[in-house]
Amino acid sequence: MAGNSFGQIFRVTTFGESHGDGVGVVIDGCPSKIPLASENFVYHMQRRRPGRGAMDTPRHEMDRVEILSGVFEGLTTGVPITLFIRNHDVKSRPYEILREVFRPGHADYTYFKKYGHFDFRGGGRYSARETAARVAAGVVAGKILEPLGVKVRAYTIELGGIRAESMDLDFVEKNPLYCPDPIATERMKGVLAKAKEDADSLGGIVEVRVTGCPAGLGEPVFDKLDADLAKAVMSVGAVKGVEIGAGFEAARLKGSENNDPITPDGFQRNRAGGILGGISNGDEIILRAAVKPVPSIGWEQDTVDREGRPAKLKLTGRFDISAVPRIVPVLEAMVRIVLADHYLRSGTMK
Ligand SMILES: Cc1cc2nc3c(=O)[nH]c(=O)nc-3n(C[C@H](O)[C@H](O)[C@H](O)COP(=O)(O)O)c2cc1C
């Protein structure tokens, strides 16, 4: 299986499976002398961890990050950093049915077509468990960006058709849905409870904002900052669309409406989402990701078995009602990884 690495200078390679010994990441290209300790990962790992809320998969994992290489006396040494997150709460039995039939909407079918043999327990390599390694790598990326004053914040802007109307970023960390609007949060909880009752699942939209990013990050032509951000975000399971700034709405605007007039003090508005010509312009970077409803639902569904014969599948197991809240910290991590890579590529790190 190729394609497990991402980034040019700050290059992350994730490994491991849902029901193996654990998941992890090797980070190449991290500069030396950056303070790094296991405790630095706790906050971010807890935010992604399954089993936090009633709407998450009840799988319980401590998600403690072990630093296996690349750090000496509390500082990075410049050699590859290896981070490992051990799996503890591994129950394979509920997945036994997937030995034979494929989950509609999931990756079982395509993995079988491509590899002919795969670890079907909990999705193996394509399980959301892999994103724990990304969050760990994002912590290291964040350390590189910290002295620059770059801040990456993601939150749930829409869930199950309920849109956040107010923007209280302090409230984001105070609710399990990471939504910035207290009223919308209650309504989202309501639709989630209903979906749970109906054995169904819900999608939504995550917004990411980056403040403090200097102008000049991004490499024309193929490694544009927005192109790399889109790839990073789309590489997360269940993400089905990405927009930067005005995004798809720009298609309906006139040039006079969509341009961001420039003044000596900066841009008058930010429809560009902080990126022009693939290069950061110093304004806030804004992107949104569309997240589909998770495929695992409790309904009886039509499917086929490995021989292509028609079959029925009714799942029982441990699933999220919506992946949206758990994707919030994952997208923050992916954006940090892209920005750290482009910062190192810019050669401006002091
Ligand atoms: C953080 C996170 C949690 C997820 N939780 C679930 C889940 O509980 N059940 C499920 O069927 N899919 C879940 N997914 C989505 C699947 O991993 C994803 O839909 C699947 O791999 C197929 O990939 P695709 O949707 O990108 O085509 C989750 C994804 C992420 C990133």
Side-chain angles (χ1 to χ4, degrees), residues 97-246:
I97 188 171
L98 302 177
R99 191 186 285 280
E100 294 305 327
V101 298
F102 308 115
R103 286 170 294 182
H106 224 302
D108 312 326
Y109 182 84
T110 46
Y111 264 61
F112 182 70
K113 287 287 168 194
K114 186 170 173 68
Y115 300 108
H117 175 66
F118 68 102
D119 185 349
F120 57 84
R121 300 164 305 163
R125 183 74 183 134
Y126 55 86
S127 157
R129 185 93 192 110
E130 185 266 346
T131 63
R134 298 177 187 228
V135 172
V139 170
V140 182
K143 290 260 181 183
I144 294 170
L145 298 170
E146 218 171 76
L148 261 187
V150 175
K151 293 211 163 35
V152 181
R153 292 293 304 270
Y155 42 84
T156 302
I157 196 163
E158 193 174 310
L159 205 162
I162 310 289
R163 187 88 175 180
E165 303 291 348
S166 65
M167 190 60 64
D168 176 356
L169 287 184
D170 289 336
F171 185 69
V172 170
E173 298 308 315
K174 292 184 187 142
N175 71 90
L177 305 183
Y178 301 129
C179 174
D181 176 347
I183 295 170
T185 302
E186 289 313 306
R187 294 181 60 210
M188 287 172 185
K189 283 181 183 166
V191 291
L192 279 167
K194 174 79 173 70
K196 189 175 186 179
E197 211 178 284
D198 296 344
D200 217 335
S201 64
L202 296 174
I205 300 173
V206 174
E207 186 166 86
V208 190
R209 283 177 183 255
V210 183
T211 55
C213 181
L217 300 194
E219 304 291 330
V221 171
F222 292 109
D223 297 349
K224 291 185 164 105
L225 190 59
D226 40 358
D228 280 355
L229 285 169
K231 176 162 185 180
V233 169
M234 283 291 276
S235 73
V236 176
V239 173
K240 292 294 132 194
V242 182
E243 52 176 29
I244 311 272

Side-chain angles (χ1 to χ4, degrees), residues 100-102 109 302-312:
E100 294 305 327
V101 298
F102 308 115
Y109 182 84
D302 288 328
T303 184
V304 292
D305 67 13
R306 291 188 179 206
E307 276 71 47
R309 293 177 299 226
K312 299 276 184 199

Side-chain angles (χ1 to χ4, degrees), residues 48 57 103 105-107 126-128 131 236-240 292 294-296 318-320 323 326-327 330:
R48 192 219 68 98
T57 164
R103 286 170 294 182
H106 224 302
Y126 55 86
S127 157
T131 63
V236 176
V239 173
K240 292 294 132 194
K292 78 179 192 183
V294 293
S296 300
R318 305 181 295 174
F319 318 111
D320 298 318
R326 293 190 54 217
I327 281 182
V330 180

